[in-house]
Amino acid sequence: MGQSISSPPPATVTRTSPPSSCPMHDVPSTGCPIQHNNPPVAKSSGGCPIDHSSFNTLNPTNQMPNLPQTPISPQAVPLPTERTMSSIPRVVDGETKTDTHQTWEYPSPQQFYNALVRKGLDTPPEHIETVVEIHNFLNERAWGEVMKWERRVAQEGDEEPHLARFKGRPGEMSPKARFWMLAGWLLPSRFNTEPPFDRHDWIVRRPRDGTEVRYVIDYYSAPSTPNGDPGFALDVRPALDSLESVQQRVAVGMDDVWEGLREKGFLMLLKVTEDVDAISAELGGYLMYRCRFSYLTET
């Protein structure tokens, strides 16, 4: 998610794949496209020619520095500096003093690469544009899941909630992710044993009363789709920071349970109906045969 703004333009796990026109179809089907396990690139003793002073000041809305649009070592190929508008609204009253609602703007490929270099993550520059496409696509889907939760508590006439700020926490597993990892360790045949490749905490503000709600988003790799597209799974839910969030999580969990029971009950009903129909057909044929046999013997 970008660090600047632009002019306006259950717990649920959502499995998703990119649109066919998206270049992310060229990436591997599993795992995060960014290599997190490579050590940081060592700096030469002569010092870096890039001024890093701006990197030390973090933007409080996304815990990122104000990233430059200039190439940075060890980049060898030029990257686009154009930025893409998101559909995710944000509140900027603290910046403009006008309570103007604008949307977040995604970082350019050049800024994204600079951020990866700053974190010591080794990603070839020629793959950055694809990585940015994946980043933007997943964040759009995550916001859609947030809005599903928000619609459950919205009142008539409410304005649309806004993403006030966020923080990436890729090295910190959420309690729920840890639970599923334990379940996978105990029952590997039933549960996934792969941890999420990323985590975000999003702070959503409701304009009605200014309430802020923290959402936790775990990003998982998922099996490829039948046509070979890479798959991703998003687990989006409100953090258990308030009684309302606890009630929401319980309500959605119960809805999922009842929906599962209804589906199973419906399938059982179909099975019973099919069996009854089959028995009726058998009995119908048998009765017809008995009637015909009786007619023949009497005549």
Side-chain angles (χ1 to χ4, degrees), residues 182-253:
L182 176 61
W185 179 73
L186 294 173
L187 299 170
S189 61
R190 294 194 57 186
F191 299 100
N192 183 24
T193 58
E194 184 177 350
F197 64 79
D198 200 2
R199 171 190 170 181
H200 282 185
D201 281 13
W202 288 9
I203 308 300
V204 175
R205 183 179 300 160
R206 296 169 181 166
R208 182 194 338 136
D209 53 9
T211 299
E212 292 189 343
V213 181
R214 180 169 66 98
Y215 281 84
V216 179
I217 307 170
D218 288 324
Y219 297 81
Y220 292 88
S221 299
S224 300
T225 61
N227 59 357
D229 296 337
F232 302 93
L234 307 182
D235 189 355
V236 183
R237 70 277 185 193
L240 301 179
D241 295 338
S242 66
L243 179 60
E244 181 186 62
S245 294
V246 173
Q247 291 172 336
Q248 273 191 281
R249 293 274 292 271
V250 170
V252 170

Side-chain angles (χ1 to χ4, degrees), residues 48-55 68:
C48 179
I50 303 297
D51 180 12
H52 292 266
S53 59
S54 63
F55 281 18

